[in-house]
Amino acid sequence: KRIVAALAALAICATALITPALAQEKKFTVALIPGLTTDGFYITMRKGAQAAADALGVTLVFQGAPDFNPVTQVPVLDAVIAKKPDAILIAPTDKVQLVEPLRKADDAGIPVITVDTFIGSGVYQTGAGEADFPLSYIASDNILGGEIAARALAKAIGDKGKVYVSNVKPGISTTVQREEGFKKEMAANHPGITVLETQFNDNDANKAASQLQAVFARNPDLVGVFGANLFSALGAANGVQQVGQTGTVKVVAFDAPTSIVDNINTGLVDVAIAQHPAEIGYFGVVSAYAHLTGQSIPVAIGTGFTIMDKANIADPNISKYLYSE
Ligand code: T6T
């Protein structure tokens, strides 16, 4: 009998150890503020965040603005701070303009982790600069992403000719770094390629399409374009189709909405560089939870890419990285 009782006691202790909901009595609320709500990238990030929240017994609140703009994101952030969540995960829409609004969260004792984009230099907890207070930065390596895009575009165009970057706007950490990586790789290793002036589309795919038409009108010898995020790439690809240059003007796309499959299969897009937004969301929530339960967390977590093209897009191990709608 004593042995049975001892075993039962052991089983109860073991269950308490491995069941987080039992071990952790307080139910934490973590807020995730995306760059914008209607973007497959952040919709997929939310899914990963929700998966981690479910596993850890955390309540996830997803609240964002309909466009990628500090003017609309800051009021959302203020409303979230007023509700005092236990932690905030946020993709800041500008590396300077979100510093003071986020400091309010920090001053209120709410831990801040930035996901996808960063504020300041993106290097946190160093005691340097005005924007080092977030606990962690969880994202793709966007400079590397730009370099990958440059190499893919160079290969597609036979390493010569005129190309340009279709980009969102200055001030966004991610897309600025992609352009930086792209230009660095072109300058260092592809002397036969001329990179024309960047076209900023304000995250508007229609504007990116018109810009492609205008650049092509000025440069009929244009051979390629790098769309530095989902809307830039979709718009640039539409522009290539509208000027009847499918397959002649090569497109390398950052991000992987489901529509990219058709664009790759028809030859409109040569290569798509998928980020792993679900991974960013998952590790965002795990990091917040770890911090809230007294663990130390990495100051930066880098997530991966999957490079998609005609040869591999049908492979389920590749297509599983397409974004959710
Ligand atoms: O490319 C992603 C994200 O990484 C970037 O910061 C903003 O644009 C996207 O959300 C795609 O639209």
Side-chain angles (χ1 to χ4, degrees):
K1 256 194 193 163
R2 230 181 284 152
I3 294 176
V4 172
L7 281 177
L10 204 67
I12 291 169
C13 290
T15 315
L17 278 176
I18 60 172
T19 311
L22 281 181
Q24 182 55 58
E25 295 212 338
K26 176 169 163 42
K27 194 163 167 76
F28 293 112
T29 298
V30 173
L32 170 58
I33 305 176
L36 72 163
T37 47
T38 55
D39 175 339
F41 175 83
Y42 296 111
I43 292 168
T44 311
M45 183 188 291
R46 177 188 190 172
K47 281 197 164 176
Q50 190 62 58
D54 292 346
L56 296 168
V58 164
T59 302
L60 180 75
V61 175
F62 181 80
Q63 208 171 326
D67 55 355
F68 197 99
N69 193 331
V71 173
T72 46
Q73 190 181 41
V74 170
V76 172
L77 171 61
D78 286 342
V80 166
I81 293 172
K83 285 196 227 135
K84 299 191 181 3
D86 294 294
I88 292 178
L89 308 176
I90 182 169
T93 45
D94 187 281
K95 53 186 171 181
V96 175
Q97 293 183 53
L98 264 292
V99 174
E100 290 315 314
L102 275 172
R103 194 188 308 286
K104 283 196 220 158
D106 188 54
D107 288 347
I110 304 169
V112 174
I113 291 174
T114 74
V115 285
D116 176 44
T117 44
F118 59 74
I119 52 171
S121 67
V123 182
Y124 301 147
Q125 300 294 317
T126 61
E130 292 298 302
D132 84 318
F133 57 85
L135 298 179
S136 186
Y137 173 49
I138 305 172
S140 311
D141 179 338
N142 287 290
I143 294 188
L144 175 66
E147 289 171 10
I148 293 172
R151 285 193 283 273
L153 190 56
K155 193 171 166 206
I157 64 175
D159 233 0
K160 57 175 187 301
K162 289 183 186 165
V163 304
Y164 79 95
V165 182
S166 174
N167 211 340
V168 185
K169 58 186 159 192
I172 306 173
S173 66
T174 46
T175 48
V176 165
Q177 285 192 329
R178 288 170 205 162
E179 182 174 334
E180 192 184 320
F182 180 88
K183 288 184 167 166
K184 198 175 91 187
E185 169 64 19
M186 287 306 195
N189 298 317
H190 306 279
I193 295 175
T194 305
V195 181
L196 302 171
E197 197 186 339
T198 295
Q199 302 295 306
F200 291 108
N201 55 53
D202 215 11
N203 223 22
D204 177 345
N206 291 329
K207 202 164 166 187
S210 321
Q211 287 170 338
L212 184 293
Q213 298 187 15
V215 174
F216 182 67
R218 290 194 297 271
N219 304 274
D221 53 348
L222 182 77
V223 290
V225 55
F226 167 40
N229 86 332
L230 194 153
F231 300 100
S232 308
L234 276 185
N238 287 342
V240 168
Q241 198 170 34
Q242 286 154 9
V243 293
Q245 295 296 314
T246 302
T248 314
V249 175
K250 306 287 186 183
V251 179
V252 169
F254 218 86
D255 293 310
T258 47
S259 60
I260 209 79
V261 178
D262 279 349
N263 287 346
I264 288 177
N265 283 329
T266 60
L268 183 57
V269 169
D270 272 81
V271 171
I273 299 161
Q275 302 186 74
H276 294 178
E279 210 172 295
I280 298 176
Y282 191 95
F283 284 94
V285 170
V286 168
S287 301
Y289 182 83
H291 173 76
L292 292 168
T293 52
Q295 306 297 317
S296 67
I297 61 172
V299 77
I301 298 180
T303 55
F305 295 117
T306 296
I307 302 172
M308 302 175 168
D309 61 17
K310 215 175 197 162
N312 70 12
I313 191 70
D315 178 347
N317 285 323
I318 300 293
S319 58
K320 71 179 182 192
Y321 289 104
L322 289 165
Y323 301 171
S324 306
E325 299 285 326

